[in-house]
Amino acid sequence: MSQKLILHHFPQSTFAEKIRKVMGLKNLNWRSVLVNRILPRPHLQQLTGGYRRIPVLQVGADMYCDTYLIVRTLDRLQPKSPTLLSNSLAQPMCWWLDKTMFVPILKLRIGLVGDSLSKEWYEDRQKFAPDINFSKESNRKDIPLNAQQINAHLAWLINILNDGRQFLLGDPTPSVFDATAYHIIWFIKSTIGNETKEILPKMNNSKLIEWFNRIAAFGHGTSEEMSSEEAFKIAKHAEPLEPTYLEKKSNFGCYPGQRVQVTPDDMGKISVEGTFVAADDYEIVVRLSNEKMGNINVHFPRVGFDLIPLE
């Protein structure tokens, strides 16, 4: 099996920036497959059974979905590079930031610069997150409320840094929590930074700026561009690995060979249907098979995804 790390992403994606930063923190070599910012993404959608969230990590005929599992996978596949999950607090802290800050920042962006976003973007994102109000007028009205929420969480981050620590968990090396906090602040800076100087004063905190620049200096590792066609061929001519690394398997009422569907529980709720392979407390593995692409294993994190038997 090809051991190349292939990342399917697009430059503006904040969650892809989290993984690009992880590549830098771990000093990895990887292949970059740029996909459309909005659907369709024909090759990637085939390889993931219709899953539409970005980024996706490909290793041969194994497709790893969602940043929580991608980071765990990179630590498993590249154990000699700095480990980002050695501190057990790292992933729960990432969950706090991603779940509490992404939506208010998205709404603040629409409220501040919504007129610059295309009709196609609005239509695509409304399908992606139907529970979010994408009205420009409504989000303009809510600018003070969303700014208030963001400032409150930035204050917590600053308080963590106030003792002079170099990295957020106080360890001598960075963790995935640093990558997560980085991508959240990168999202603000890269999309609405010029519009937030007065309404997000916490962004100007010297401790936060020093820490952000420290993490930015790690870069994105070393990447080489690859086309989606090339990535598809690699998957087609490879065979997925059996997930023997899964310990203390917990099948959640499913059995190997059973038809199942896996669905994100918040946004991008497109169900992926396939054959159940294995699962534990951290990961779900589903097999896709057809003549066009061969056998593919699609991997999802256990947290944030619903596993439902179909038979």
Side-chain angles (χ1 to χ4, degrees), residues 4 10 29 43 57 74 91 100 111-112 123 133 140 160 169 179 219 232 235 248 253-254 260 263 293:
K4 291 180 180 177
F10 58 86
N29 296 311
H43 291 99
L57 176 71
L74 290 174
Q91 281 208 320
T100 57
L112 289 172
E123 291 175 349
N133 183 350
R140 282 196 184 99
I160 291 172
L169 293 183
F232 187 88
K248 299 179 180 179
C254 300
V260 298
T263 311
M293 66 182 182

Side-chain angles (χ1 to χ4, degrees), residues 2 30 34 41 71 91 118 123 129 134 143 146 148 155 166-167 198 219 253 255-256 268 307:
S2 171
W30 54 285
L34 295 178
R41 303 175 187 127
V71 174
Q91 281 208 320
S118 70
E123 291 175 349
F134 278 80
I143 284 174
N146 286 311
Q148 178 188 131
Q166 296 292 293
F167 305 111
E198 294 184 4
Y255 57 84
L307 171 65

Side-chain angles (χ1 to χ4, degrees), residues 92-145:
M93 294 292 278
C94 293
W95 190 262
W96 152 51
L97 271 189
D98 281 337
K99 290 296 183 181
T100 57
M101 291 192 72
F102 176 73
V103 171
I105 295 170
L106 177 61
K107 290 181 175 181
L108 187 63
R109 180 190 183 196
I110 296 169
L112 289 172
V113 298
D115 290 336
S116 67
L117 302 171
S118 70
K119 178 183 177 182
E120 291 77 14
W121 183 90
Y122 274 108
E123 291 175 349
D124 180 76
R125 293 309 190 263
Q126 190 64 74
K127 294 175 184 176
F128 177 75
D131 295 334
I132 295 178
N133 183 350
F134 278 80
S135 162
K136 289 181 280 189
E137 293 73 20
S138 176
N139 284 293
R140 282 196 184 99
K141 174 176 64 67
D142 287 341
I143 284 174
L145 177 60

Side-chain angles (χ1 to χ4, degrees), residues 8-252:
H8 299 257
H9 66 120
F10 58 86
Q12 303 92 337
S13 166
T14 180
F15 285 94
E17 178 63 15
K18 182 202 292 192
I19 299 303
R20 292 189 293 258
K21 183 51 58 184
V22 165
M23 296 294 193
L25 295 179
K26 292 179 71 66
N27 193 28
L28 297 178
N29 296 311
W30 54 285
R31 304 299 187 272
S32 168
V33 176
L34 295 178
V35 299
N36 294 331
R37 192 176 183 183
I38 60 177
L39 296 182
R41 303 175 187 127
H43 291 99
L44 182 59
Q45 286 174 273
Q46 288 184 72
L47 293 175
T48 59
Y51 177 81
R52 66 150 296 171
R53 296 183 357 176
I54 293 296
V56 174
L57 176 71
Q58 176 185 349
V59 184
D62 286 86
M63 310 296 294
Y64 298 90
C65 302
D66 197 89
T67 60
Y68 286 83
L69 182 59
I70 291 173
V71 174
R72 180 171 292 276
T73 300
L74 290 174
D75 267 3
R76 174 174 60 82
L77 295 178
Q78 302 288 337
K80 293 183 180 180
S81 63
T83 302
L84 302 184
L85 288 169
S86 57
N87 190 318
S88 61
L89 290 175
Q91 281 208 320
M93 294 292 278
C94 293
W95 190 262
W96 152 51
L97 271 189
D98 281 337
K99 290 296 183 181
T100 57
M101 291 192 72
F102 176 73
V103 171
I105 295 170
L106 177 61
K107 290 181 175 181
L108 187 63
R109 180 190 183 196
I110 296 169
L112 289 172
V113 298
D115 290 336
S116 67
L117 302 171
S118 70
K119 178 183 177 182
E120 291 77 14
W121 183 90
Y122 274 108
E123 291 175 349
D124 180 76
R125 293 309 190 263
Q126 190 64 74
K127 294 175 184 176
F128 177 75
D131 295 334
I132 295 178
N133 183 350
F134 278 80
S135 162
K136 289 181 280 189
E137 293 73 20
S138 176
N139 284 293
R140 282 196 184 99
K141 174 176 64 67
D142 287 341
I143 284 174
L145 177 60
N146 286 311
Q148 178 188 131
Q149 294 176 1
I150 295 165
N151 277 311
H153 290 288
L154 289 175
W156 281 5
L157 276 178
I158 293 166
N159 189 52
I160 291 172
L161 292 166
N162 273 339
D163 63 2
R165 64 184 64 192
Q166 296 292 293
F167 305 111
L168 287 171
L169 293 183
D171 298 326
T173 58
S175 73
V176 66
F177 184 41
D178 289 281
T180 295
Y182 176 90
H183 94 94
I184 289 291
I185 296 173
W186 176 89
F187 185 24
I188 297 172
K189 286 178 171 288
S190 64
T191 60
I192 51 175
N194 292 334
E195 311 292 330
T196 60
K197 292 181 180 179
E198 294 184 4
I199 61 174
L200 295 181
K202 300 296 184 186
M203 288 286 291
N204 300 318
N205 178 271
S206 60
K207 294 286 187 184
L208 191 66
I209 292 171
E210 289 170 7
W211 165 84
F212 182 86
N213 291 338
R214 189 177 305 123
I215 301 303
F218 281 89
H220 292 147
T222 302
S223 65
E224 178 183 332
E225 287 194 16
M226 172 183 283
S227 70
S228 58
E229 291 85 357
E230 290 177 279
F232 187 88
K233 288 178 182 178
I234 287 174
K236 181 177 180 179
H237 292 108
E239 279 295 323
L241 291 183
E242 290 300 318
T244 55
Y245 56 87
L246 293 183
E247 300 179 358
K248 299 179 180 179
K249 293 181 180 179
S250 179
N251 291 342
F252 304 100

